[in-house]
Amino acid sequence: MYRKIALAIAFSPRIEALIAETKRLKDLHRSELVLVHIGKKTPELENRLFGMLEKYGVNLGQTKIVWEEGKPAKKIIQVCNREGVDLLVAGALKKEELFTYYIGSIARKIIRKAKCSVLVLIEPSTHPRPFHKIVINGTQQALTPYVVAQGIALCKLEQVKQVFILNEIKMYGLKMATISDSSEAEISKNRKKLVSEEVSYVEDILKTIDKGDLKINIKVTSGRWAPELAKFSESISADLLVLGGHENLTFFDRLFPHDIEDILGNLPCNLLIIKK
């Protein structure tokens, strides 16, 4: 899926775990690897990085290391654009009030402006394992068919055991309010109809996709999609949530006015934002 993967590194306590996780992804996707550090290059830091790369079996001859100075978000995005990166990996802490380095305004700028997909890892491990329980956003949006297709392709590659696609009934409250004076039987019938329509929307997308042996569960919610996705992902202990993103500055303002902020403020699990 990804021909070139970049890792944004800071010399934090979790740098080894992030290197190990990215090495797993590089091998899985048979990708080229680019390491990006925004900060002054020193012999001490360079030797330290080389030692960690050797420790986790990263082939230095097949890895490009980029050292840049300047504003982190801007420079990271510039490097990804210049190098033709398909996927950018960055680390995050789960609670926003504890976020350091790449989180807060930097993370938001990266997510808004990066042309490539972005994978945010909240609990990287020095002994990484495949994702085994993935939730995909199936809410009706322009990018949803592509997001579902990419999400399913990733699930097949990871040999995921459980896949969930969560879809929101848009304007559920308004639609139900229009029949509020109807009988209970009529209300129940209309509710089932709304659910059936959203399930059919996802099923029609899945008909165009090679699903392999995956077992896919379609869930429908009547609440706002982002909080429901976060709550559902946390309730089943998902290890990856997959969303779609846009390549322009209106990503938050038009597509996700507040919803994506809810997820970023308290990440339920690792987060993959897919860009097209």
Side-chain angles (χ1 to χ4, degrees):
M1 286 180 59
Y2 300 113
R3 294 167 300 170
K4 188 174 287 190
I5 296 176
L7 170 63
I9 58 173
F11 287 88
S12 68
R14 301 194 304 166
I15 183 175
E16 291 196 20
L18 286 168
I19 288 173
E21 293 279 7
T22 306
K23 166 66 162 54
R24 184 189 79 82
L25 292 170
K26 173 193 178 301
D27 292 345
L28 180 68
H29 294 271
R30 299 179 181 178
S31 308
E32 298 177 48
L33 180 60
V34 179
L35 302 179
V36 186
H37 176 68
I38 309 305
K40 189 174 182 180
K41 178 181 178 181
T42 67
E44 180 184 358
L45 289 179
E46 190 173 35
N47 289 335
R48 182 181 170 191
L49 179 58
F50 287 163
M52 288 184 286
L53 295 177
E54 183 178 359
K55 178 179 179 179
Y56 292 98
V58 178
N59 188 327
L60 291 175
Q62 299 175 355
T63 302
K64 185 169 186 176
I65 304 174
V66 179
W67 303 78
E68 294 273 359
E69 293 187 46
K71 295 181 178 179
K74 182 178 181 180
K75 287 295 183 180
I76 290 168
I77 292 167
Q78 286 178 350
V79 171
C80 288
N81 291 344
R82 185 174 72 230
E83 297 295 331
V85 169
D86 300 305
L87 177 68
L88 170 63
V89 181
L93 296 179
K94 190 171 183 180
K95 299 290 185 180
E96 186 168 8
E97 59 267 22
L98 300 177
F99 280 7
T100 57
Y101 202 75
Y102 288 117
I103 303 309
S105 63
I106 294 175
R108 284 160 174 73
K109 288 176 183 176
I110 289 174
I111 291 171
R112 287 176 184 172
K113 299 180 181 181
K115 293 183 179 181
C116 62
S117 297
V118 180
L119 174 62
V120 180
L121 299 176
I122 62 170
E123 295 178 347
S125 171
T126 53
H127 300 285
R129 59 181 177 80
F131 297 120
H132 69 278
K133 196 178 293 186
I134 292 180
V135 178
I136 303 171
N137 181 23
T139 300
Q140 293 193 37
Q141 294 168 344
L143 201 60
T144 297
Y146 181 75
V147 171
V148 172
Q150 290 291 295
I152 294 300
L154 177 63
C155 290
K156 288 171 57 183
L157 196 58
E158 293 275 0
Q159 299 183 349
V160 173
K161 295 180 180 179
Q162 291 180 280
V163 186
F164 299 88
I165 300 178
L166 192 67
N167 191 358
E168 172 200 1
I169 301 175
K170 288 186 176 294
M171 297 185 292
Y172 175 80
L174 179 61
K175 291 176 180 177
M176 294 304 294
T178 61
I179 57 167
S180 59
D181 294 331
S182 303
S183 66
E184 287 189 15
E186 189 66 20
I187 291 173
S188 177
K189 178 181 177 181
N190 277 274
R191 185 182 294 113
K192 289 179 180 178
K193 180 175 180 292
L194 291 174
V195 170
S196 177
E197 288 173 350
E198 298 305 330
V199 170
S200 295
Y201 169 75
V202 176
E203 288 178 338
D204 287 344
I205 294 173
L206 292 175
K207 288 176 184 177
T208 67
I209 299 170
D210 180 3
K211 299 174 288 297
D213 297 326
L214 293 176
K215 294 182 179 179
I216 302 171
N217 299 283
I218 302 173
K219 303 289 183 181
V220 177
T221 176
S222 58
R224 285 171 51 212
W225 66 265
E228 291 297 327
L229 274 171
K231 183 167 65 176
F232 179 74
S233 298
E234 194 162 28
S235 71
I236 65 167
S237 300
D239 48 19
L240 183 65
L241 172 57
V242 180
L243 308 176
H246 280 186
E247 299 177 4
N248 53 53
L249 294 177
T250 62
F251 177 74
F252 282 87
D253 300 328
R254 294 185 182 177
L255 185 59
F256 303 133
H258 303 291
D259 289 337
I260 194 70
E261 296 284 354
D262 293 340
I263 292 178
L264 287 176
N266 187 9
L267 295 173
C269 59
N270 301 312
L271 177 67
L272 173 61
I273 297 182
I274 292 179
K275 305 287 187 79
K276 187 174 182 179

